[in-house]
Amino acid sequence: AQSVSQHNHHVILSEAASLELGCNYSYGGTVNLFWYVQYPGQHLQLLLKYFSGDPLVKGIKGFEAEFIKSKFSFNLRKPSVQWSDTAEYFCAVSNSGGYQKVTFGIGTKLQVIP
Amino acid sequence: NAGVTQTPKFQVLKTGQSMTLQCAQDMNHEYMSWYRQDPGMGLRLIHYSVGAGITDQGEVPNGYNVSRSTTEDFPLRLLSAAPSQTSVYFCASSTYDRRYTFGSGTRLTVV
C-alpha cells in the first residue's frame, strides 16, 4: 500500500526565510505526486503536481517541488516566505494509470512570523 | 461558481443518531472521495467512487456508507454516530488526473 511521510509537523519561519518541507513516499510503481495547501479555516487547494517529465515542478504563489525518484522524495520549496504563507501543507501520492486513490500525509503546519 | 458543495457546514449529533452528509459537484467529474481530517492525522480516505454506481472503501470505512446514483452527488451516511466520528469531513472530486477540488467541509461533533 502506498504511504506518505512528512517529517516536519510544525515549522516556524521569519518572513523572507527560505522554506523546504520534506515529503517521502513509499510505492513501488509509477506515481503522481501533489502538494496541497490549507489556509486557516479554509479547504484544501492544489499548489502543484507532478505527473511526468521535468522533475522540477513550479506551482502557484512561487512554490516549487522537486521529484527525486531515487530518494522517493518530493520536497516543497519556496525561496522567500511571506506571512500569508502561514497554512498547513499536505503532500499526497497516487499511483498512476486509471483511477487510483490519493493518500495524504499528515501535514506540516507552517507559521511565518512577520 | 462551479465547484464542490457540501452541506451542512456544521452539525451536532447525539451518539447513536444517523445522518447524511451531502456532497454535490457540477464539474462533471468522474471521481469523488470522502476524507476525514483529524488533528495530527492528516486526511484519511473513507470511501471513494470512480463513477456513477461504483464505490469502494478507503482507509477508514467502518461506520460509514456511500452510494453514487448520479455523477453529481456522493452522499456520506453515518449509520449510528459515535464520538470517534467527531471530525471535519471533506468531499473532493476530480477527473482522471486526481487534481482534487475540495468542498468547504462539514464540521461534525458527536456528543
Side-chain angles (χ1 to χ4, degrees), chain A residues 1-113:
Chain A
Q2 61 202 30
S3 66
V4 180
S5 296
Q6 291 184 243
H7 316 297
N8 315 104
H9 302 316
H10 196 182
V11 173
I12 302 174
L13 294 173
S14 298
E15 274 192 317
S18 64
L19 170 72
E20 181 160 4
L21 301 182
C23 173
N24 286 90
Y25 67 93
S26 66
Y27 178 68
T30 305
V31 294
N32 299 138
L33 295 157
F34 309 83
W35 275 99
Y36 284 83
V37 60
Q38 186 178 29
Y39 297 104
Q42 297 187 25
H43 56 85
L44 279 78
Q45 305 169 44
L46 182 66
L47 263 184
L48 49 79
K49 62 179 181 11
Y50 172 79
F51 284 178
S52 63
D54 189 344
L56 184 61
V57 179
K58 294 192 183 300
I60 61 172
K61 304 186 181 186
F63 286 91
E64 64 178 31
E66 185 174 13
F67 171 52
I68 303 179
K69 189 175 181 180
S70 61
K71 295 184 178 180
F72 296 90
S73 71
F74 190 56
N75 292 355
L76 181 71
R77 300 194 293 247
K78 186 171 184 179
S80 175
V81 295
Q82 301 172 322
W83 176 79
S84 58
D85 293 324
T86 294
E88 192 161 14
Y89 293 81
F90 294 90
C91 183
V93 64
S94 172
N95 47 356
S96 64
Y99 177 79
Q100 301 292 337
K101 60 185 179 183
V102 179
T103 299
F104 285 81
I106 66 170
T108 297
K109 287 187 178 178
L110 172 65
Q111 183 179 358
V112 180
I113 301 171

Side-chain angles (χ1 to χ4, degrees), chain B residues 7-59:
Chain B
T7 56
K9 293 191 184 304
F10 301 94
Q11 183 71 50
V12 179
L13 286 179
K14 293 182 178 179
T15 298
Q17 286 185 315
S18 62
M19 79 160 294
T20 300
L21 278 61
Q22 302 292 343
C23 176
Q25 54 92 6
D26 57 3
M27 298 170 285
N28 203 31
H29 285 171
E30 300 95 334
Y31 310 125
M32 297 185 74
S33 300
W34 276 102
Y35 289 86
R36 59 177 290 174
Q37 184 178 26
D38 301 292
M41 305 190 75
L43 277 82
R44 292 180 292 169
L45 181 64
I46 304 172
H47 286 285
Y48 65 101
S49 169
V50 300
I54 307 170
T55 64
D56 206 347
Q57 296 181 351
E59 305 167 63

Side-chain angles (χ1 to χ4, degrees), chain B:
Chain B
N1 290 337
V4 178
T5 302
Q6 287 185 240
T7 56
K9 293 191 184 304
F10 301 94
Q11 183 71 50
V12 179
L13 286 179
K14 293 182 178 179
T15 298
Q17 286 185 315
S18 62
M19 79 160 294
T20 300
L21 278 61
Q22 302 292 343
C23 176
Q25 54 92 6
D26 57 3
M27 298 170 285
N28 203 31
H29 285 171
E30 300 95 334
Y31 310 125
M32 297 185 74
S33 300
W34 276 102
Y35 289 86
R36 59 177 290 174
Q37 184 178 26
D38 301 292
M41 305 190 75
L43 277 82
R44 292 180 292 169
L45 181 64
I46 304 172
H47 286 285
Y48 65 101
S49 169
V50 300
I54 307 170
T55 64
D56 206 347
Q57 296 181 351
E59 305 167 63
V60 289
N62 292 341
Y64 308 94
N65 269 357
V66 292
S67 60
R68 184 98 179 269
S69 57
T70 67
T71 300
E72 295 77 19
D73 300 301
F74 191 44
L76 178 72
R77 297 183 191 82
L78 279 70
L79 308 174
S80 177
S84 60
Q85 293 178 303
T86 294
S87 187
V88 180
Y89 291 84
F90 287 102
C91 180
S93 72
S94 75
T95 58
Y96 73 96
D97 64 6
R98 276 95 68 205
R99 286 183 289 181
Y100 276 140
T101 298
F102 279 85
S104 57
T106 295
R107 187 173 294 274
L108 176 68
T109 302
V110 183
V111 298

